[in-house]
Amino acid sequence: MQAKKRYLLVSVGAGLLFLLYLWALQVGDYHQNQPNHNKLSNILVQEDSPQLQHQHTSPRERRAIRDNIYRNRRCRMETCFDYSRCQSGFKVYIYPAQRGDEISETYQKILSAIEESRFHTADPSKACLFVPSVDTLDRDLLSSQYVQNARTRIQSLPMWNDGKNHLIFNLYSGTWPDYTEDLGFEVGQAMLAKASADVVNFRPNFDISIPLFPKEHPLKGEAVGYVTLSDAPPSRKYLLHGKDWERHKDTRCDRDNQQYSKFDYQELLRNSSFCLVPRGRRLGSFRFLEALQAACIPVILSNGWELPFSEVIDWRKAAVIGDERLLLQVPSITRSVVRDRILALRQQTQFLWDAYFSSVAKIVLTTLEIIQDRVDSHISRNHLLWNLLPGGLYALPQYSTDPSQFPFYYHKLGKSPMQQFTAVIHTVTPLQAQISPVLKLIIAVAKSKFCAQIVVLWNCDKPLPQRNKWPSTSVPLSVVQGHNQMITSRFFPYDAIVTDAVLSLDEDTVLSTNEVDFAFIVWQSFPERIVGYPARSHYWDSSRSRWGYTSKWTNDYSMVLTGAAFYHRYYHYLFTRYVPANLLKTVDRMANCEDILMNFLVSAVTKQPPIKVTQKKQYKETMMAQGSKTSRWADPDHFAQRQTCMNAFSRWLGFMPLVHSQMRLDPVLFRDQVSILRKKYRDIERL
């Protein structure tokens, strides 16, 4: 009995001592952490204070920072986005800069990219998405570009509403020594387009992970890849390449840099098959974009990094995702990749670089397109459109969500275009009895066995002629009023066009039925390109530092004019929806250059030249019918305007997309010394 009592007393005493110990821990923890909470509160409330806490934050402090910044961590489009604002379309409004606002060069590039895009609106009542003019890119307290009073400025925005329908861009968050994701303000229900995004804090299908890019990154597409998709060799001199410490060194890295200074970084980069991309001060690194540009397969060594645009890009086709805890296994992993796989990975790096990362504008547009796909989820792009040439920016889902409807996917999907075409004849002068060139053209085109219908686009200021004024044809003939009586309306996506192929014709074009048939046969083999007759070229005028336009007969060409050419009807939709409205207005004002603009657009999409068929060079450019006004080709200002257009269009894209070609396709047996009866397109030789 006494033993039981002693055992009971010992147990009770031990329990009391344990409770006392727990109480002491709680009291000590409270006193130990109370000053830290005050410091955290001071940072959050007095964000402009330059005082820094040069000590490592505890996990509890990190959680407090994260919870304060991401109070709406469960935000999704369904819960934190107001779809009713987007009923009139996906438009983006940028708040006007306030007096005294300091905007960094990089953030100004982002704002400029939005302003120059087709999404921008100056009317906040029509906006679906709002972007602050407050520079939020660099939220490192040590940075000279750190913006003071960011919280106050953002929360005072007229339409802020806890961030709903707002988009915030950020490249750098937190500060030394821990570089947490502290932005110095609460993002609330705003979407965050952030570099070095952590998967723990990343809100899937709401936030967007963007790449970390330097301030030297061009606004538009001037930073070309080091190789093209077709000439990337399967292997290089070096298997693995590490990081360029020299370029971003500081005083703490001098000893390490002594070793790296022995090598030329660019030479190593361009001659390596794989490039290590470890985390930097934050999860992201400049090495990532450098590797993509150099066609060097990135080996990602940054656990927890939400890769850029991972919502739409399949990075398994362009990168090796490693584990930074298993660094020593990287050489064996890269050696196990077969040559064919290396070639495919490197080609995909060049496609992704060119399509989404080669400029600030493309990074911004990709971000906006992803958000638009979320808003219009019923007509959003699938992963195939995002991960195959030419990419999601040129494959507009409003046209179709089916990849087989786009001309550049025919060969990949084993599909062929329709076996017929629609002729669209642009008419600007009234009919003159039976001698009008347009009537002769209609008769010649209608005889083609591939012609499904003829659409006369009436852009004349005179009333539509009566039906009996038009010739009778074996195919349907319809006359439609131009969309807006402007020259760009010839490329409007009219519902009357139901075939894949469009034969675009000017009213004074002179073509035979054989020429039409042969050009259509050629186009069926190249449905993504422009195929036609009249060719022109561009050149660089070094004396004036500008692009020039020439109609001289030379050994090469880079444009096929749409006054007599085949192309896919999708380009009508892309021309109308993708080209900025101010550029279309410029073309309409001059009543010129719409054919050059279409060539720029198609070459930008395909990265290939058009195709000229037959030797015919003079297809019109003569006086119109008797007694009528002269063709616009005879206008002395016409050629000068086209020179100006060349440079305006290249400035819009940020690069020159036109590609020279020396290929001309003629029928087999063309000009051969055989009987004319053996030739299929015999009329072509008589022209």
Side-chain angles (χ1 to χ4, degrees):
M1 180 64 76
Q2 292 181 352
K4 291 182 179 180
K5 290 181 178 180
R6 286 197 298 271
Y7 179 76
L8 182 61
L9 290 173
V10 170
S11 300
V12 172
L16 291 174
L17 288 175
F18 181 70
L19 292 175
L20 183 64
Y21 174 74
L22 291 178
W23 176 81
L25 284 179
Q26 291 179 348
V27 172
D29 185 61
Y30 173 80
H31 287 294
Q32 180 180 0
N33 290 295
Q34 186 65 30
N36 287 338
H37 285 299
N38 289 336
K39 292 177 183 178
L40 177 62
S41 176
N42 288 336
I43 292 176
L44 294 176
V45 175
Q46 300 176 0
E47 64 183 48
D48 304 332
S49 173
Q51 182 179 3
L52 301 175
Q53 308 301 325
H54 295 285
Q55 57 186 6
H56 292 280
T57 55
S58 67
R60 178 175 296 179
E61 287 177 314
R62 293 178 183 175
R63 286 194 299 271
I65 293 173
R66 183 181 66 230
D67 293 342
N68 187 70
I69 298 171
Y70 299 96
R71 290 180 178 176
N72 299 93
R73 295 183 61 192
R74 297 185 181 275
C75 265
R76 299 296 183 268
M77 294 294 291
E78 297 78 13
T79 58
C80 296
F81 193 87
D82 185 2
Y83 286 88
S84 64
R85 286 190 173 275
C86 308
Q87 293 179 356
S88 59
F90 184 76
K91 294 296 181 180
V92 183
Y93 175 76
I94 300 176
Y95 287 98
Q98 300 299 317
R99 188 173 183 179
D101 280 356
E102 296 182 2
I103 300 179
S104 64
E105 179 183 354
T106 304
Y107 195 58
Q108 186 58 57
K109 289 180 180 179
I110 291 177
L111 298 182
S112 297
I114 298 175
E115 290 172 346
E116 296 176 12
S117 74
R118 67 184 187 280
F119 300 117
H120 180 253
T121 179
D123 186 353
S125 64
K126 297 180 180 179
C128 171
L129 191 67
F130 298 84
V131 176
S133 59
V134 180
D135 189 345
T136 56
L137 286 186
D138 196 339
R139 301 305 297 160
D140 187 339
L141 285 168
L142 289 173
S143 173
S144 60
Q145 296 181 343
Y146 180 84
V147 175
Q148 308 292 339
N149 294 322
R151 176 193 289 109
T152 304
R153 296 184 186 185
I154 290 177
Q155 291 183 349
S156 63
L157 296 174
M159 312 295 291
W160 177 245
N161 191 23
D162 195 30
K164 184 170 289 190
N165 289 58
H166 281 68
L167 176 64
I168 293 175
F169 288 90
N170 175 256
L171 293 181
Y172 309 99
S173 61
T175 189
W176 184 87
D178 295 292
Y179 298 101
T180 64
E181 297 202 11
D182 184 9
L183 299 179
F185 61 90
E186 303 84 13
V187 297
Q189 300 181 56
M191 285 181 282
L192 191 59
K194 189 180 186 306
S196 305
D198 189 337
V199 294
V200 175
N201 299 324
F202 186 79
R203 296 171 291 183
N205 296 317
F206 191 74
D207 291 334
I208 296 178
S209 177
I210 62 175
L212 182 65
F213 57 89
K215 64 180 181 179
E216 299 85 8
H217 208 51
L219 171 60
K220 295 188 177 181
E222 299 149 340
V224 297
Y226 292 164
V227 297
T228 62
L229 290 173
S230 58
D231 67 0
S235 61
R236 288 176 167 182
K237 183 177 179 180
Y238 304 105
L239 178 66
L240 277 172
H241 172 54
K243 168 180 179 179
D244 175 21
W245 298 96
E246 183 71 25
R247 179 180 171 189
H248 301 284
K249 70 177 181 178
D250 55 38
T251 56
R252 298 172 294 174
C253 303
D254 287 338
R255 285 180 298 178
D256 292 333
N257 286 331
Q258 291 177 0
Q259 297 296 322
Y260 287 94
S261 62
K262 299 178 182 179
F263 306 96
D264 181 82
Y265 175 63
Q266 295 297 331
E267 180 183 356
L268 287 175
L269 191 66
R270 299 183 186 191
N271 287 280
S272 299
S273 295
F274 296 89
C275 287
L276 299 180
V277 183
R279 68 170 68 209
R281 292 184 176 128
R282 301 167 181 84
L283 291 174
S285 167
F286 291 122
R287 309 289 82 69
F288 181 70
L289 289 189
E290 289 175 351
L292 287 182
Q293 184 179 14
C296 187
I297 303 167
V299 180
I300 310 298
L301 297 173
S302 182
N303 294 5
W305 181 24
E306 183 75 21
L307 293 180
F309 305 137
S310 56
E311 181 178 337
V312 296
I313 294 178
D314 185 358
W315 284 109
R316 296 171 299 176
K317 297 181 178 180
V320 174
I321 313 299
D323 189 332
E324 58 188 359
R325 298 168 298 183
L326 304 175
L327 182 62
L328 297 180
Q329 295 184 7
V330 171
S332 61
I333 292 174
T334 55
R335 290 192 186 98
S336 67
V337 183
V338 297
R339 291 170 63 90
D340 289 347
R341 176 65 175 161
I342 291 176
L343 176 59
L345 289 169
R346 294 189 56 221
Q347 287 178 329
Q348 191 70 359
T349 63
Q350 290 300 272
F351 156 62
L352 294 177
W353 165 259
D354 180 72
Y356 307 120
F357 301 106
S358 59
S359 67
V360 176
K362 288 186 177 180
I363 293 173
V364 172
L365 287 176
T366 303
T367 301
L368 297 181
E369 292 282 5
I370 291 174
I371 298 175
Q372 185 186 30
D373 276 5
R374 295 172 182 172
V375 173
D376 301 326
S377 57
H378 60 292
I379 52 172
S380 60
R381 303 167 180 82
N382 58 34
H383 272 63
L384 180 64
L385 298 180
W386 282 107
N387 291 278
L388 285 180
L389 278 168
L393 299 187
Y394 288 126
L396 303 186
Q398 294 78 13
Y399 172 77
S400 177
T401 58
D402 181 5
S404 65
Q405 298 299 314
F406 295 89
F408 25 78
Y409 297 132
Y410 282 164
H411 296 315
K412 295 182 179 67
L413 299 176
K415 184 180 181 297
S416 299
M418 298 171 63
Q419 300 299 309
Q420 292 181 306
F421 66 84
T422 298
V424 179
I425 304 177
H426 185 234
T427 306
V428 295
T429 58
L431 294 182
Q432 295 181 2
Q434 298 301 316
I435 61 174
S436 293
V438 66
L439 301 181
K440 299 177 183 178
L441 181 62
I442 290 174
I443 294 173
V445 173
K447 291 180 181 179
S448 171
K449 61 183 179 180
F450 303 112
C451 183
Q453 60 176 335
I454 298 176
V455 176
V456 177
L457 182 61
W458 191 258
N459 265 349
C460 181
D461 53 5
K462 301 294 183 180
L464 287 171
Q466 297 179 359
R467 183 63 183 88
N468 59 10
K469 298 293 185 181
W470 301 98
S472 59
T473 59
S474 58
V475 298
L477 172 66
S478 58
V479 183
V480 298
Q481 195 77 42
H483 174 64
N484 55 11
Q485 296 288 307
M486 296 296 183
I487 196 168
T488 56
S489 66
R490 69 180 304 171
F491 298 136
F492 186 79
Y494 295 98
D495 294 335
I497 303 174
V498 295
T499 58
D500 292 334
V502 175
L503 173 57
S504 177
L505 297 166
D506 285 342
E507 60 184 338
D508 54 350
T509 299
V510 179
L511 288 177
S512 70
T513 304
N514 271 185
E515 288 177 299
V516 172
D517 287 348
F518 177 70
F520 179 68
I521 291 295
V522 172
W523 177 85
Q524 287 184 304
S525 298
F526 305 94
E528 74 282 3
R529 302 204 217 178
I530 298 177
V531 176
Y533 310 92
R536 298 291 184 268
S537 187
H538 75 287
Y539 64 95
W540 177 252
D541 187 347
S542 57
S543 62
R544 299 183 179 181
S545 298
R546 56 177 292 177
W547 294 106
Y549 170 90
T550 179
S551 59
K552 293 182 179 179
W553 298 354
T554 61
N555 289 315
D556 58 26
Y557 63 92
S558 57
M559 291 172 281
V560 167
L561 304 186
T562 56
F566 282 97
Y567 51 78
H568 197 279
R569 63 173 174 170
Y570 172 64
Y571 293 126
H572 274 202
Y573 192 90
L574 191 65
F575 185 94
T576 304
R577 298 295 185 94
Y578 186 83
V579 179
N582 61 338
L583 206 59
L584 296 177
K585 291 179 181 178
T586 300
V587 172
D588 285 332
R589 186 175 61 253
M590 293 188 299
N592 195 356
C593 302
E594 83 289 352
D595 48 356
I596 297 179
L597 182 55
M598 177 62 86
N599 274 269
F600 267 69
L601 184 61
V602 176
S603 292
V605 172
T606 63
K607 306 294 186 296
Q608 294 177 319
I611 295 177
K612 174 175 172 52
V613 292
T614 76
Q615 67 174 3
K616 188 173 186 178
K617 298 179 178 65
Q618 289 287 357
Y619 77 110
K620 61 170 192 171
E621 300 190 22
T622 58
M623 301 296 289
M624 295 285 287
Q626 301 173 0
S628 65
K629 65 180 182 180
T630 60
S631 168
R632 59 184 174 127
W633 300 89
D635 185 351
D637 294 331
H638 178 80
F639 190 81
Q641 289 176 343
R642 294 172 82 78
Q643 299 276 7
T644 303
C645 290
M646 295 284 294
N647 293 276
F649 299 160
S650 62
R651 284 194 299 270
W652 161 55
L653 290 171
F655 65 101
M656 171 52 73
L658 299 179
V659 181
H660 282 101
S661 174
Q662 296 182 357
M663 181 178 71
R664 188 188 81 196
L665 298 184
D666 295 323
V668 178
L669 299 183
F670 180 74
R671 299 291 186 186
D672 284 1
Q673 298 300 317
V674 297
S675 171
I676 193 70
L677 298 178
R678 296 175 58 185
K679 300 181 180 182
K680 185 175 182 179
Y681 303 101
R682 61 193 66 166
D683 290 344
I684 293 181
E685 294 191 16
R686 300 171 181 168
L687 300 174

